[in-house]
Amino acid sequence: MSKWGPIGPDCVFTPRDANFLRLSRRNELGRQGLVKSIAVDPTDSGTIYTAEAPTSGGNSAFRTTDNAESWTPIVDSLQQTDPANVNPSCVAVNPLVTSTIYLGTYSGRAYVSPSSGDTWNSPPFDFGSSNSVSKFFVDPRSASNPSTTVIYAGCNNGVWRSSDGGTTFTQVLLGILSDFAARFPTDGTPADFYAGITDVGIFHAVDPTSASSWTNLTTTPTSNLPTTANFDNMRIDICRLTPRPYVWFFNTVSNNEITASIYTAPNSTGSWTSIAIPTTVPQPAYAGLYDSSFVLAANSPGDGSNDILLFGSIDLSRSIDSGKTWTGLSGGAFGDEYHADYHAFAFFPDPPPSGVVPLIYIGCDGGLGVSTRLVDPTTTLPDTVSEENEQLQTSNTAVVQNYSHGKQSSAIYSYSSDPTIGALGYIGCQDTGINAGDSALLWRGIQDSDVGQVAVKQGTDGVKIWTQLGSPFFMYVFTDQGGLGQAPWSLVTLPGGRLVSGVSNFIVDPNGNCLAGVQPTDPTTSVSAAIPVGNQVVTPNSMNFIEVGSLLNVDGGSNAETVRVTAISATTFTATFTIAHAANTGIDRVSDTSISAAVPAGTQTVQPGSMTNIIVGSNLSIDGGKPQENITVTAVTSTTFTANVANAHVAGAAVVVLTQFLTRVDQSANATVISQNFGINSVNIVAVSPTDADIAAFGTSDERLFTTSNATAASPTWTEATTSKPGGLTMASIAIDFRNNIFVLLGNTINAGTVEFPNVTPLFSILAGDWNPIPVNNLPATSGFGKLVTDPVQPSTQYAGNGARVYQLTSDGRTSVTTWTDISNGLPGQWIYALWAGNIGTAAIPKVLLRTAIPTRGVWEIDVSPSATVSALSLYMRDNFLDVGRLPTPPDGVPNPYAPSDAGRTVYHYQCADIKIDAQQQGALPGGAVVTFFQTDPEDSTLPLSHVLFDQLKDNSDNVPAADQAHVHVQVRNRGISIAKNVSVWVVFANAGAGLPALNLSASSGNNFNFWSQFDGPSGKILPALPVDSPWKSIGSPLVLGPIDPANPQVATWTWTVPTLGSGDPGHYCLAAFVHCSGSPINQTGFDVDVITPANKQIGQKNLHVGPPQPPVGGGAPGGGAPGGGPGTGGGPGAPVGGTRPMREYIEFHNSTSSARTSTLVYDLRGLPKELRVSFVLAPITTVNPLPGSITGVVSTTGEPGTLGPGCHHKSPCHHHHKGTKDHCHHHDSHHYHKSTEDHCHDHDCRDEDCHHHHKGTKDHSHDHDCHHEDCHPDKLPTCHLCQPLKCKSCYGCHPKPKCPCEGFFSGFAPIVYTANPSSSVSITGVQIPPFGSVASFFTVTNTGTLVAGTRYYFNVQQFVGGALVGGSTYVVKIFGNLINSIDNPRGDEEEDSDDETDVAPPLPVWIQGRSATARQLLGWSKGP
């Protein structure tokens, strides 16, 4: 069996501005996993270590040595052998021998690596399993010899010291450690150590070798520190430049930690001073100290007046006056914020030289960020500018930059994919929301928040994502349409409009509906009119679920109150208000009803305000405060219910009818209840057959199992499986295979046999309500079984997660015994949270992929197909974004899953996702200065590019005609089990075509040039020797890449001098890329690029052409922007210098074979809106039938022999490649002149820079259609039928011949101009193309109406033979301007980038719940009721 490999995300791309012109880390929000600890090599700012520990569970540690262009996991080898105990919590670097690093764990261990994390000394020191390590300090005075280096460790139970480089430690301070800080002066003065012991005080030492070395400053009378009655926990730091300490004290008030005070002193013996903190001082966000990080900037002067303090909570705040005033990073759309929940800081240099502002490294829930100016006291916060270095201007701002490139560390809870679009995958994460991936390692962030569950299915308008996010947690349906930024969404609602919260896994049935266990949530509404004090009749915007007795929360803050509804009508409710409330005040329902009178303990008959939905068996929650309890109704009347009540409750106590059930949620977010109400118990596990939507099963939290064979019915019939059910079980997962067999995997093994004949197993099959234990072989020794999935094509085959490993379960078909085989080879060693199996191939040629999602280590994949093979090297380029490099031929001619109804976005083999062109761009700065740049300038101008930057790049070929240089980037991947080295890459180009010239085409070689002789097998080198007359030209010399492995694609880049063309020539080309090495030779003999590309993974073809931006309003300039790129309305930054250019394209249709070909040429314009008009001319062609009858889909034809429009004639004929000749079309040498007429340009506004109407006898320039020459008449304006009507912007002097924008493009073409039927398809059938010959066409795209600025439209020009596609090119029509780039937070009640944590994790599978709860506890997450 093959080996697991990573498929991302190693960067989650979430740009602040999706309309970027440049790549900039300042333009990226943080969407990776939680960084708990940071260590920077003190000699190299680009060598950084992180320890990552999200509340989702899972831990890892990483290293970068290239300034965060890529990251290497450094604890996989440890976790593969001991995942339970290798859970990194902190990391430190030896300051003198920087290859020595130290790693602490939550399980109380200290690891030492002499090789920057490549290897680890064994065994680690063990502080005790419950004694997690929070910090290391390495004494630089002893660090020159790693074996005798003194190290201090802060642990749960105090401070420990090692004098032998971390081999052993001795405890030197006992107590519950809240924080620990140390300072090591370089001037020979004593060191300072401060330790905060919870509820005890602040301790200080200069050389802590034992407990007696410490002094409790809190109990020192002269210290002036607060007493223990005024604090419980604290955060401590010390200035680097002076011995001045700061202590941030917290205290618990109503079970919540709050800032109590901040104290500082000049040194350890000086008197401490309380800082007068303002009411705006930052506060912990949660009850514990989960995100209460405090640090002094390394450049703080230490004077107690101008020190720079930072406090991280949900937001990051800064003080530059020693804590007296505070400023947050919020501002603008996101301000300088990178993400939320700040946990760790580091600096470089630390300490800095005088006058140097250090870099600050920031660890938060979104990953690692860096700011260059955040601790510069002269920088005003928020330091936001109109551009974050992503547009024309670049500047050094305090905005935090994303340093999580190439780090596969997402805090994953769940994963889902649809096998029919198996290249696409989606994860739900802790605090970083929903992330979407395709065949690249880089994924997209499409929603921020806590997301517990995801399920996906191809929809009619995009990819549907059912998800649960919060806070509070609600169920949504998102529609991913492939863009950057948030996807459109809808809240899931029950009939009547009530919202729901998911409580199970989500799974999609074959009909495209999602099955999910849910509980309804209390609805919200508001009032449109103000409410005075007193007994009032109120008209809310909705009366849904408001009943007599309902308790309602009205308003918020100091105006909040809870009222009891005493009467209702169809549109109003009556209640008594003690506070006046303004119009538009919000109302939240607290309860269904309430009790009218006090209820004593015992079996009681109770009269609530309303009996709605209360029936015998109902579970009710009484009293939301204390003493809250759940009761079961045993009898009812029309006005009362009877139940056994354990506690007494006062009159007015809230009564909530507990409802939880299974729902079917369609793609429009409509939920239908399809099971009984389980009250207090949730439907927490759901399964459905992959082949029959009627076969389904679910489990409940009280371990009941139900099955049905009519799940699609309006009210399915569910049968509980009880026969032979063993006692004491805990269900972990339910799975149904393609033959409709139902399996249940328990969390632990159970003896389903007898003492004499035991049958210890975690696996059961369910048949006709009977639990059948399945005997097992080779069962894992450890407990903790998790997810179970079935193989989609192999019967009697399942896959199961157990701890950090994955097993294949197989039965030989002759016995009932199932054998468990460990297939974890290649996995990193962290906990298996999700499993997914899907056939992305066909029934005839299956390709079954198994994927797992691992917190802090991303998504991994393995081929488990029956025919799976293992290759040492498996080099490939993706033919398109749906190509995962595993199928015999990639997806070709299939709908784009993000826009399945858009024919223009159909996915073809000639759209290679691993070839990108980045032509130089130009733009005018304020003041008129013109800047020229690539997307990678200036931040990433050093080549080669990382694969992350490659995936972020936009295809920028629209600038090729205007640029003299372009970067051509080719990315190469390797899915083999060995590392690929010395990989040669070469790129050649030809004129744009639909059907490209044969690679062996060369008249001088008799059209028999051996193209593949240039690829040397033994050496793996490419030795270019193209004939001079080959239609293919080399971009540049071949480049050599390596090493390449599945996690590290490599990118080859050429700076291409675009061939010089005539003014305004379209200048688009088709590219072919070739990958070759001795270990994986290209092994090709064919010469037809369109045939060999889909068949050979080491050949890529890019026939995608992005046209120049077109004006949003037909015939006018984009947004009124002036030439030079002024923004104008809808223009936005980045307007091309000189304005827009018409979209004019030349394309060839080749016969790449040695036999004559009869082809159909197609302009497939179905993806264009009706406002975009396409007109074209053809080179002289021969068709089987007369040409007029061979063309369909045109709305008009114009022209006459010898003309292209009234008064037009040809000059300077040009030559094309017709009938096998070697002549090339150089149509820029021809000219198209209009006859001298009395032309008038009044009321015409052509703004094309190439379209100038020259008048006789003057040198006047008439702008903005103000020309009034006496010999100009509008009724005689010359017309070109390709760019009709010709409009004039200006008169440029004396010239009798007005110039057409299409000048130079028609010579050699037939004189007939065809205009396509809007939004349709044009076909030219029966076209005769001789052996190795070609025909050509020239076309224009014109906006005749009004289109949304920033939109893109797609169409294809193709060639078919016998109904089969033999070549094509995709064209992109860009409408000038920017789409509005806003991120609309669901429900609209929270800032998008604020943290959405609640005091509980989202609903999670049972095998995740414990790990997530443990992680939250270790991270300081603690809340009271």
Side-chain angles (χ1 to χ4, degrees):
M1 181 174 288
S2 56
K3 183 180 179 181
W4 291 87
I7 61 172
D10 70 357
C11 180
V12 178
F13 189 40
T14 313
R16 302 168 187 260
D17 176 10
N19 300 301
F20 60 87
L21 300 178
R22 307 177 191 256
L23 299 183
S24 171
R25 295 189 187 214
R26 286 181 172 88
N27 189 39
E28 298 178 35
L29 296 171
R31 289 296 186 273
Q32 297 291 92
L34 186 156
V35 171
K36 187 65 175 65
S37 175
I38 309 166
V40 183
D41 185 328
T43 67
D44 179 8
S45 63
T47 297
I48 312 162
Y49 300 85
T50 63
E52 317 225 347
T55 61
S56 61
N59 306 79
S60 196
F62 297 87
R63 175 192 72 227
T64 179
T65 58
D66 57 9
N67 211 41
E69 292 289 346
S70 63
W71 291 80
T72 300
I74 59 175
V75 294
D76 284 3
S77 61
L78 297 175
Q79 292 179 328
Q80 286 161 356
T81 57
D82 191 7
N85 291 304
V86 184
N87 43 8
S89 57
C90 62
V91 64
V93 179
N94 184 306
L96 300 182
V97 185
T98 57
S99 61
T100 300
I101 66 170
Y102 311 92
L103 183 80
T105 71
Y106 286 107
S107 58
R109 292 183 177 182
Y111 291 85
V112 181
S113 170
S115 55
S116 303
D118 289 338
T119 60
W120 297 91
N121 292 346
S122 183
F125 181 79
D126 193 345
F127 297 99
S129 61
S130 61
N131 196 15
S132 65
V133 186
S134 58
K135 286 185 179 180
F136 283 122
F137 286 101
V138 183
D139 191 336
R141 299 168 298 183
S142 62
S144 61
N145 184 349
S147 64
T148 58
T149 298
V150 176
I151 306 166
Y152 300 89
C155 300
N156 276 0
N157 69 347
V159 178
W160 296 65
R161 181 180 186 271
S162 172
S163 59
D164 55 10
T167 302
T168 62
F169 283 83
T170 302
Q171 190 164 15
V172 295
L173 181 64
L174 179 64
I176 300 173
L177 189 69
S178 183
D179 202 7
F180 179 37
R183 174 180 178 268
F184 304 98
T186 58
D187 59 3
T189 56
D192 286 296
F193 297 84
Y194 292 88
I197 302 298
T198 300
D199 293 322
V200 176
I202 303 297
F203 288 74
H204 176 264
V206 295
D207 184 17
T209 58
S210 66
S212 62
S213 305
W214 298 84
T215 299
N216 186 345
L217 300 179
T218 302
T219 59
T220 300
T222 58
S223 71
N224 198 36
L225 283 167
T227 65
T228 56
N230 296 304
F231 70 87
D232 50 20
N233 284 296
M234 64 288 291
R235 292 287 184 258
I236 310 169
D237 203 7
I238 315 169
C239 288
R240 276 65 162 173
L241 304 179
T242 72
R244 175 176 292 276
Y246 282 78
V247 180
W248 194 298
F249 288 101
F250 304 97
N251 206 3
T252 300
V253 176
S254 300
N255 293 308
N256 289 294
E257 292 276 5
I258 65 167
T259 296
S261 58
I262 306 173
Y263 276 74
T264 186
N267 51 54
S268 63
T269 60
S271 178
W272 292 75
T273 302
S274 176
I275 296 171
I277 57 176
T279 56
T280 56
V281 66
Q283 297 284 352
Y286 312 111
L289 298 176
Y290 167 73
D291 58 353
S292 300
S293 52
F294 168 60
V295 72
L296 282 165
N299 57 326
S300 288
D303 58 10
S305 299
N306 301 292
D307 294 322
I308 304 164
L309 283 60
L310 294 106
F311 186 87
S313 180
I314 286 181
D315 301 312
L316 183 58
S317 300
R318 186 191 73 171
S319 171
I320 57 174
D321 57 7
S322 297
K324 300 179 186 65
T325 61
W326 291 86
T327 304
L329 293 191
S330 59
F334 300 99
D336 305 331
E337 291 270 27
Y338 172 63
H339 194 68
D341 293 319
Y342 293 84
H343 307 281
F345 302 99
F347 298 92
F348 183 93
D350 188 6
S354 177
V356 172
V357 176
L359 299 175
I360 178 171
Y361 301 76
I362 300 167
C364 63
D365 279 12
L368 178 69
V370 172
S371 174
T372 57
R373 292 187 59 189
L374 179 57
V375 294
D376 181 352
T378 67
T379 297
T380 302
L381 298 182
D383 190 21
T384 52
V385 293
S386 60
E387 300 181 8
E388 307 293 355
N389 290 359
E390 86 287 9
Q391 293 291 328
L392 298 181
Q393 297 184 2
T394 61
S395 56
N396 182 20
T397 69
V399 175
V400 178
Q401 304 172 55
N402 182 18
Y403 264 50
S404 294
H405 286 197
K407 181 155 59 71
Q408 189 156 315
S409 61
S410 295
I412 296 176
Y413 282 126
S414 58
Y415 171 84
S416 184
S417 180
D418 178 352
T420 65
I421 47 173
L424 309 188
Y426 297 82
I427 54 175
C429 301
Q430 178 246 323
D431 213 37
T432 55
I434 308 169
N435 300 322
D438 51 31
S439 53
L441 292 173
L442 178 133
W443 293 31
R444 295 173 290 116
I446 60 175
Q447 171 60 44
D448 197 29
S449 190
D450 279 308
V451 171
Q453 294 296 327
V454 289
V456 303
K457 186 68 175 178
Q458 176 69 74
T460 58
D461 57 347
V463 181
K464 298 298 180 179
I465 311 167
W466 291 264
T467 189
Q468 171 93 347
L469 61 90
S471 157
F473 291 106
F474 291 100
M475 189 174 178
Y476 294 80
V477 177
F478 282 75
T479 302
D480 183 15
Q481 296 175 331
L484 294 171
Q486 187 186 66
W489 54 269
S490 298
L491 278 161
V492 173
T493 57
L494 291 165
R498 197 170 186 184
L499 306 178
V500 299
S501 176
V503 293
S504 74
N505 64 300
F506 298 168
I507 190 165
V508 181
D509 69 21
N511 293 342
N513 297 309
C514 179
L515 302 186
V518 304
Q519 60 183 13
T521 59
D522 290 315
T524 61
T525 186
S526 60
V527 293
S528 55
I531 305 174
V533 174
N535 190 54
Q536 304 293 337
V537 177
V538 177
T539 303
N541 292 322
S542 171
M543 279 293 292
N544 281 348
F545 308 106
I546 297 178
E547 304 282 351
V548 172
S550 291
L551 298 183
L552 308 178
N553 277 343
V554 182
D555 220 333
S558 59
N559 276 348
E561 69 173 315
T562 301
V563 300
R564 183 175 186 268
V565 175
T566 57
I568 63 171
S569 71
T571 58
T572 65
F573 68 85
T574 302
T576 299
F577 296 84
T578 61
I579 302 173
H581 300 281
N584 301 315
T585 291
I587 296 177
D588 295 324
R589 194 184 73 158
V590 178
S591 69
D592 295 285
T593 185
S594 56
I595 56 178
S596 305
V599 177
T603 299
Q604 304 292 339
T605 298
V606 180
Q607 182 173 353
S610 169
M611 282 292 292
T612 300
N613 294 326
I614 299 177
I615 61 176
V616 172
S618 291
N619 294 132
L620 308 180
S621 172
I622 295 187
D623 208 334
K626 293 182 179 179
Q628 186 274 336
E629 66 175 308
N630 296 326
I631 62 175
T632 301
V633 174
T634 57
V636 297
T637 69
S638 60
T639 58
T640 65
F641 66 84
T642 301
N644 186 26
V645 183
N647 303 294
H649 298 276
V650 300
V655 176
V656 176
V657 181
L658 300 177
T659 50
Q660 300 189 84
F661 34 68
L662 181 67
T663 56
R664 181 194 306 119
V665 184
D666 66 19
Q667 297 187 8
S668 298
N670 301 305
T672 301
V673 177
I674 59 171
S675 79
Q676 69 192 77
N677 176 21
F678 289 93
I680 194 173
N681 296 300
S682 63
V683 175
N684 63 346
I685 308 173
V686 185
V688 68
S689 166
T691 56
D692 186 345
D694 275 320
I695 307 300
F698 68 83
T700 61
S701 57
D702 58 345
E703 307 303 334
R704 300 167 70 189
L705 175 67
F706 295 82
T707 65
T708 187
S709 59
N710 66 337
T712 61
S715 298
T717 301
W718 297 94
T719 302
E720 184 175 3
T722 58
T723 305
S724 304
K725 178 181 178 182
L729 60 80
T730 300
M731 290 183 288
S733 188
I734 306 171
I736 305 176
D737 69 10
F738 65 94
R739 292 180 171 178
N740 297 332
N741 298 306
I742 301 173
F743 300 92
V744 175
L745 181 65
L746 306 182
N748 296 285
T749 58
I750 195 169
N751 185 5
T754 64
V755 174
E756 184 177 2
F757 300 103
N759 183 5
V760 178
T761 182
L763 188 63
F764 290 77
S765 66
I766 308 298
L767 182 62
D770 192 7
W771 289 70
N772 298 286
I774 299 177
V776 294
N777 281 333
N778 302 328
L779 193 67
T782 58
S783 59
F785 298 97
K787 183 69 173 178
L788 178 72
V789 296
T790 62
D791 192 290
V793 300
Q794 299 181 85
S796 304
T797 302
Q798 302 94 33
Y799 306 93
N802 174 257
R805 310 194 76 78
V806 176
Y807 291 82
Q808 184 182 56
L809 287 56
T810 56
S811 172
D812 59 14
R814 298 187 303 274
T815 68
S816 60
V817 176
T818 293
T819 299
W820 290 57
T821 303
D822 190 339
I823 58 170
S824 306
N825 181 30
L827 287 177
Q830 266 295 292
W831 306 109
I832 305 302
Y833 268 26
L835 283 176
W836 176 91
N839 177 20
I840 68 166
T842 63
I845 308 176
K847 177 60 64 175
V848 180
L849 300 180
L850 181 65
R851 293 172 182 160
T852 182
I854 302 173
T856 72
R857 296 296 283 114
V859 183
W860 296 67
E861 177 183 274
I862 190 172
D863 186 351
V864 292
S865 305
S867 59
T869 59
V870 178
S871 299
L873 298 182
S874 181
L875 301 174
Y876 70 101
M877 292 177 289
R878 299 167 297 153
D879 283 356
N880 49 60
F881 76 94
L882 295 180
D883 181 8
V884 297
R886 291 191 179 275
L887 297 174
T889 56
D892 194 7
V894 300
N896 186 315
Y898 301 128
S901 60
D902 186 345
R905 294 181 64 182
T906 300
V907 179
Y908 293 102
H909 69 269
Y910 49 77
Q911 300 164 347
C912 182
D914 285 319
I915 302 175
K916 291 186 179 180
I917 299 177
D918 181 23
Q920 284 184 321
Q921 302 175 72
Q922 282 189 338
L925 297 173
V930 174
V931 292
T932 301
F933 57 93
F934 292 107
Q935 288 181 70
T936 50
D937 292 334
E939 294 185 17
D940 298 289
S941 57
T942 302
L943 300 176
L945 290 187
S946 71
H947 68 272
V948 172
L949 293 174
F950 175 89
D951 287 333
Q952 290 182 356
L953 279 173
K954 295 179 179 179
D955 187 289
N956 197 31
S957 66
D958 55 312
N959 282 298
V960 167
D964 58 356
Q965 283 193 332
H967 281 160
V968 176
H969 304 284
V970 175
Q971 182 171 230
V972 181
R973 299 163 177 269
N974 174 25
R975 206 183 288 285
I977 61 175
S978 299
I979 296 175
K981 300 178 182 179
N982 298 317
V983 177
S984 294
V985 189
W986 188 36
V987 180
V988 297
F989 69 95
N991 287 343
L996 301 179
L999 294 173
N1000 60 339
L1001 183 61
S1002 165
S1004 63
S1005 301
N1007 291 334
N1008 197 29
F1009 168 63
N1010 186 0
F1011 184 85
W1012 304 111
S1013 64
Q1014 303 170 104
F1015 296 78
D1016 183 66
S1019 69
K1021 294 181 178 180
I1022 302 175
L1023 307 170
L1026 287 170
V1028 174
D1029 61 348
S1030 171
W1032 292 95
K1033 307 299 178 184
S1034 178
I1035 288 288
S1037 298
L1039 298 180
V1040 178
L1041 301 179
I1044 307 174
D1045 62 35
N1048 295 284
Q1050 299 290 308
V1051 180
T1053 299
W1054 292 262
T1055 299
W1056 179 31
T1057 300
V1058 181
T1060 303
L1061 299 172
S1063 173
D1065 191 292
H1068 278 132
Y1069 302 93
C1070 292
L1071 304 182
F1074 308 93
V1075 174
H1076 177 67
C1077 73
S1078 59
S1080 181
I1082 199 165
N1083 287 338
Q1084 187 60 58
T1085 58
F1087 300 106
D1088 187 332
V1089 177
D1090 285 287
V1091 172
I1092 63 178
T1093 295
N1096 192 319
K1097 296 178 176 61
Q1098 293 177 213
I1099 301 174
Q1101 181 186 167
K1102 189 62 170 279
N1103 302 359
L1104 185 143
H1105 316 294
V1106 183
Q1110 298 305 294
V1113 179
T1129 305
V1137 174
T1140 60
R1141 304 186 307 274
M1143 185 170 180
R1144 305 187 292 260
E1145 301 288 345
Y1146 168 77
I1147 187 168
E1148 299 170 351
F1149 304 85
H1150 283 265
N1151 176 3
S1152 59
T1153 72
S1154 58
S1155 301
R1157 168 184 285 179
T1158 301
S1159 298
T1160 297
L1161 312 184
V1162 173
Y1163 280 86
D1164 189 347
L1165 310 176
R1166 292 174 295 165
L1168 299 184
K1170 61 181 178 58
E1171 289 84 357
L1172 291 177
R1173 184 190 65 222
V1174 176
S1175 297
F1176 63 94
V1177 293
L1178 297 169
I1181 61 174
T1182 301
T1183 53
V1184 174
N1185 297 310
L1187 184 58
S1190 300
I1191 299 182
T1192 59
V1194 294
V1195 67
S1196 65
T1197 60
T1198 55
E1200 55 187 278
T1203 69
L1204 284 169
C1208 301
H1209 63 86
H1210 295 294
K1211 297 181 74 172
S1212 302
C1214 66
H1215 305 281
H1216 294 269
H1217 310 271
H1218 302 301
K1219 301 183 180 179
T1221 69
K1222 61 180 181 180
D1223 297 325
H1224 289 249
C1225 172
H1226 299 293
H1227 47 248
H1228 55 271
D1229 292 330
S1230 66
H1231 301 282
H1232 181 188
Y1233 292 106
H1234 292 279
K1235 293 180 180 178
S1236 177
T1237 61
E1238 296 181 344
D1239 301 321
H1240 196 319
C1241 49
H1242 184 65
D1243 292 331
H1244 294 284
D1245 59 352
C1246 173
R1247 306 200 180 174
D1248 187 282
E1249 59 179 338
D1250 294 328
C1251 180
H1252 306 308
H1253 189 170
H1254 302 286
H1255 296 276
K1256 296 184 292 183
T1258 71
K1259 294 184 180 180
D1260 297 334
H1261 290 206
S1262 175
H1263 297 284
D1264 297 324
H1265 40 77
D1266 291 329
C1267 171
H1268 296 288
H1269 291 287
E1270 62 181 0
D1271 58 350
C1272 293
H1273 300 287
D1275 58 340
K1276 295 186 177 181
L1277 181 71
T1279 299
C1280 167
H1281 292 294
L1282 270 177
C1283 52
Q1284 179 180 352
L1286 175 64
K1287 296 185 178 181
C1288 183
K1289 172 185 176 182
S1290 307
C1291 298
Y1292 283 88
C1294 180
H1295 199 293
K1297 298 181 178 64
K1299 179 182 177 184
C1300 172
C1302 297
E1303 177 178 319
F1305 294 118
F1306 308 141
S1307 297
F1309 287 92
I1312 306 300
V1313 178
Y1314 302 92
T1315 298
N1317 215 354
S1319 307
S1320 64
S1321 187
V1322 176
S1323 293
I1324 309 165
T1325 60
V1327 177
Q1328 304 291 291
I1329 308 179
F1332 296 115
S1334 68
V1335 296
S1337 176
F1338 178 78
F1339 64 89
T1340 62
V1341 182
T1342 306
N1343 181 12
T1344 64
T1346 300
L1347 296 171
V1348 176
T1351 52
R1352 289 187 171 212
Y1353 302 98
Y1354 299 76
F1355 67 96
N1356 285 273
V1357 181
Q1358 298 169 316
Q1359 181 184 171
F1360 292 84
V1361 175
L1365 177 68
V1366 296
S1369 280
T1370 298
Y1371 290 87
V1372 183
V1373 183
K1374 294 184 2 178
I1375 305 303
F1376 188 85
N1378 291 336
L1379 285 171
I1380 297 175
N1381 180 34
S1382 63
I1383 298 181
D1384 178 25
N1385 194 46
R1387 308 203 73 221
D1389 54 2
E1390 299 179 48
E1391 292 294 324
E1392 189 277 338
D1393 207 33
S1394 69
D1395 186 88
D1396 290 321
E1397 303 278 2
T1398 57
D1399 54 350
V1400 294
L1404 302 171
V1406 293
W1407 65 90
I1408 299 178
Q1409 291 171 7
R1411 301 200 186 285
S1412 179
T1414 299
R1416 296 166 83 85
Q1417 180 182 7
L1418 291 172
L1419 285 163
W1421 192 285
S1422 174
K1423 275 197 168 183

